[in-house]
Amino acid sequence: MPHLSIHPAVGGPHQIYYELIDGQAEKPCLVFLHEGLGCTAMWKDFPRRLCEITGCPGLLYDRLGYGLSDALQQSRKTDYLHRYALEELPLVLTHALPSGQPYIVIGHSDGGSIALLHAAQQPPGLRAIVTEAAHVFVETLTLDGIRVAEQAYADGKLRGLTRYHGDKTEQIFKAWSDTWLTPDFAKWNIEEVLPSIACPALILQGIDDQYGTRRQVDAIVAGVPGARMQLLEQCGHTPHQEQAAAILELMDTFIRSPA
């Protein structure tokens, strides 16, 4: 299985699992960032379908602690999304993509927040971002949804996560839920970085998202110059699964003409 050996600013070297999807070399690479309990495999066939439609190559990887990558090497801090965005993602891009390869980041949930933080640094190769169900601040609805997930996990209803994360499942679930529910994290807010995003952005969210309200989308669109938005009816937290055909069309149109 393909792994990258990367050396982050904190913690020792570790192995990151990744997958590449073939596409036309002259087109930007689509970089997929999974959700807070997700991984490469949990995207299912969506990345390949989008790459086939657009002709773009693709890159998927499991962030540290997830899927087939190494386990977390230290306890998670409240700045964990910044670390993934500003330390791990640039290292993965450097190792996995040809030098100078332009790319578009597509992030779901935590991955969407990471995409926003990454874009705010204005990396030279970044052509655009797409977010699904991204968060820029903490809402009561989000915390309530996490508490529901905690109870479901305690009741054994989320055993399916073991299929994806193996013996890291307990660690990564607790890292996710405990971090979001810690009192210090209630102050987490990245709205101040949004005006620094200079690339085109497409912001997507299901109206029935159990982890966030329209306030998230409105804040992102208000902060990111020129950002486009689309709210999806009869859709929850995972638009690319619940409304796959519509999301493929929206992303394809945007990728072909992001400006």
Side-chain angles (χ1 to χ4, degrees):
M1 293 182 294
H3 284 77
L4 302 169
S5 180
I6 67 173
H7 299 257
V10 294
H14 52 252
Q15 299 292 303
I16 295 293
Y17 173 80
Y18 72 100
E19 296 179 7
L20 294 173
I21 301 172
D22 290 336
Q24 299 172 31
E26 70 276 11
K27 292 194 173 183
C29 182
L30 307 183
V31 180
F32 297 86
L33 305 181
H34 61 73
E35 63 181 303
L37 291 177
C39 64
T40 293
M42 290 175 69
W43 280 102
K44 302 188 184 300
D45 67 345
F46 182 84
R48 293 191 181 277
R49 292 175 67 188
L50 184 61
C51 288
E52 287 174 1
I53 291 170
T54 61
C56 295
L59 167 65
L60 304 86
Y61 69 97
D62 295 338
R63 295 192 294 275
L64 184 66
Y66 295 88
L68 299 175
S69 291
D70 284 351
L72 295 175
Q73 299 178 340
Q74 55 188 316
S75 61
R76 180 175 277 181
K77 304 294 192 296
T78 56
D79 66 348
Y80 80 101
L81 291 167
H82 286 75
R83 291 185 179 276
Y84 280 133
L86 308 183
E87 296 176 12
E88 183 181 87
L89 176 55
L91 287 170
V92 171
L93 294 173
T94 297
H95 282 73
L97 298 185
S99 178
Q101 169 79 49
Y103 62 98
I104 294 171
V105 175
I106 299 171
H108 174 220
S109 194
D110 267 18
S113 301
I114 292 168
L116 293 167
L117 288 165
H118 178 72
Q121 300 299 301
Q122 300 183 11
L126 182 63
R127 295 293 178 264
I129 61 170
V130 180
T131 70
E132 291 184 276
H135 288 86
V136 292
F137 53 84
V138 180
E139 294 184 273
T140 300
L141 178 72
T142 310
L143 303 182
D144 289 343
I146 292 172
R147 292 187 182 99
V148 169
E150 267 197 324
Q151 188 58 54
Y153 185 84
D155 293 341
K157 297 177 181 177
L158 299 180
R159 291 192 186 95
L161 290 172
T162 305
R163 171 185 173 190
Y164 299 103
H165 305 299
D167 58 9
K168 300 188 297 293
T169 303
E170 176 85 10
Q171 181 193 47
I172 201 61
F173 184 88
K174 291 297 184 183
W176 171 73
S177 61
D178 289 356
T179 301
W180 275 83
L181 295 176
T182 186
D184 285 346
F185 199 74
K187 297 175 288 187
W188 178 84
N189 187 305
I190 62 171
E191 289 177 276
E192 65 180 15
V193 310
L194 299 179
S196 297
I197 297 176
C199 66
L202 174 63
I203 313 302
L204 307 173
Q205 184 165 317
I207 290 176
D208 301 321
D209 191 334
Q210 64 270 38
Y211 291 108
T213 71
R214 178 175 175 158
R215 292 177 57 214
Q216 302 288 341
V217 174
D218 290 341
I220 298 170
V221 172
V224 178
R228 309 181 199 176
M229 63 170 280
Q230 181 68 54
L231 294 170
L232 298 123
E233 296 183 359
Q234 298 181 332
C235 184
H237 189 61
T238 314
H240 65 272
Q241 291 180 6
E242 300 172 54
Q243 301 276 356
I247 297 303
L248 285 169
E249 183 177 355
L250 284 166
M251 289 190 185
D252 178 36
T253 300
F254 175 73
I255 289 166
R256 290 180 187 275
S257 182

